[in-house]
Amino acid sequence: QVQLVESGGGVAQAGGSLTLSCEAPGILFEISEMGWYRQGDGEERELVAIVTAGGGIEYDDSVKGRFTISRGNHRNAVNLQMNNLIPEDAGIYYCYVNFAPAGWDDVEVWGQGTEVTVST
């Protein structure tokens, strides 16, 4: 199976920072997209930030100017630098990967989720 390895979640104070990392060692094909989604309590999973297939970067408006997403040099990793955290940032963060093996439909892979808690 394909497994994404997430790290960096935890508890941060409001105004503090956390860095989330995701590795996809089990994917041996070129990864098209990597990003992070968040699911808060009682909410649906929503996009936080993503590096798209064309190399562009998209952020949810709520994190613009505070979060920075970047791909690793080997293209099988993605990081999310989260600065100036606010309580609304709290939730379960899921790494997302999309890749397209030749001759196959696109494949989506989700991490197991890493929890971010913002204390006040």
Side-chain angles (χ1 to χ4, degrees):
Q1 65 174 351
V2 174
Q3 184 175 5
L4 306 182
V5 182
E6 301 162 321
S7 62
V11 179
Q13 299 181 62
S17 299
L18 289 172
T19 300
L20 305 183
S21 298
C22 178
E23 302 276 347
I27 302 177
L28 302 181
F29 303 93
E30 180 70 20
I31 293 175
S32 297
E33 298 180 320
M34 295 190 75
W36 289 93
Y37 286 70
R38 178 184 65 237
Q39 184 170 9
D41 290 339
E43 302 175 355
E44 66 179 5
R45 192 175 302 180
E46 65 178 13
L47 176 68
V48 176
I50 192 167
V51 182
T52 65
I57 298 175
E58 299 179 1
Y59 294 99
D60 182 78
D61 286 342
S62 67
V63 307
K64 288 181 178 178
R66 299 188 297 115
F67 291 9
T68 302
I69 192 169
S70 60
R71 292 280 297 274
N73 291 336
H74 52 57
R75 308 294 291 173
N76 277 54
V78 65
N79 301 308
L80 184 68
Q81 178 66 46
M82 309 165 64
N83 296 324
N84 195 24
L85 287 161
I86 60 177
E88 289 75 15
D89 296 324
I92 308 298
Y93 283 71
Y94 296 89
C95 182
Y96 167 84
V97 171
N98 174 277
F99 65 99
W104 295 77
D105 293 336
D106 288 3
V107 178
E108 296 182 347
V109 184
W110 294 90
Q112 78 282 0
T114 183
E115 184 172 6
V116 171
T117 301
V118 182
S119 64
T120 59

